[in-house]
Amino acid sequence: MCENGETNVTIEDTAAHELDEFDLDDDFLTPPNTCEEFDTVVGELENILVEEDFLKLQNDLLEKHYHHFEDTEENKLIYTDIFYEYTSALEQYIENQLVQRIPGFQLDEFLDTVQERRVRLEGDVFE
């Protein structure tokens, strides 16, 4: 059983045993290695988010733009540009790190898996 509670079952498993012998979550079969691959990506993502280089990138962007922010109720148009620069830089950094650390990593596939599991995902990294 995977950390996230899913059970990996292969065709060979189903041929060797009756399906009612399995304790399957959500009444579906998970393809082999899906849980392990997902857990690996999430583990690396957690590592990236606390590493010095990532924190430095965030801090550098904050230092670059902090002077634009004021304690008022009105939002400035520049906030949108800053938001796009910030999210783009962080997303690009995270994707590059995952590609370097995990052979064959595909962001689109990972995001599809996150969407499929969004109801069952827990933890700070998903908030």
Side-chain angles (χ1 to χ4, degrees):
M1 183 170 288
C2 296
E3 288 180 24
N4 62 10
E6 293 180 356
T7 305
N8 279 336
V9 179
T10 64
I11 298 300
E12 293 79 22
D13 290 332
T14 57
H17 306 286
E18 295 294 319
L19 280 177
D20 61 350
E21 292 178 19
F22 293 105
D23 180 23
L24 298 175
D25 293 358
D26 298 323
D27 298 316
F28 66 91
L29 304 178
T30 304
N33 301 321
T34 300
C35 292
E36 291 83 4
E37 291 169 359
F38 183 79
D39 291 345
T40 297
V41 174
V42 171
E44 288 298 333
L45 184 55
E46 290 172 332
N47 291 338
I48 292 166
L49 295 178
V50 297
E51 290 174 351
E52 190 64 33
D53 288 343
F54 181 77
L55 298 175
K56 183 178 179 335
L57 175 61
Q58 281 186 304
N59 191 53
D60 289 349
L61 289 166
L62 294 174
E63 287 292 324
K64 179 179 176 183
H65 297 293
Y66 79 92
H67 63 277
H68 293 291
F69 293 90
E70 298 174 358
D71 189 15
T72 64
E73 295 201 19
E74 186 176 330
N75 290 325
K76 297 180 181 180
L77 291 176
I78 189 82
Y79 293 175
T80 302
D81 295 335
I82 295 169
F83 171 78
Y84 286 122
E85 179 183 351
Y86 180 84
T87 55
S88 176
L90 296 181
E91 287 173 357
Q92 183 179 13
Y93 178 83
I94 291 168
E95 182 176 8
N96 289 340
Q97 288 297 307
L98 289 171
V99 166
Q100 289 176 15
R101 297 171 189 216
I102 302 170
F105 175 77
Q106 296 292 320
L107 182 60
D108 292 339
E109 291 176 16
F110 177 70
L111 293 176
D112 288 344
T113 304
V114 169
Q115 278 297 95
E116 292 168 6
R117 298 176 182 209
R118 71 181 178 272
V119 174
R120 297 173 288 180
L121 296 176
E122 296 179 10
D124 292 339
V125 76
F126 297 108
E127 292 181 7

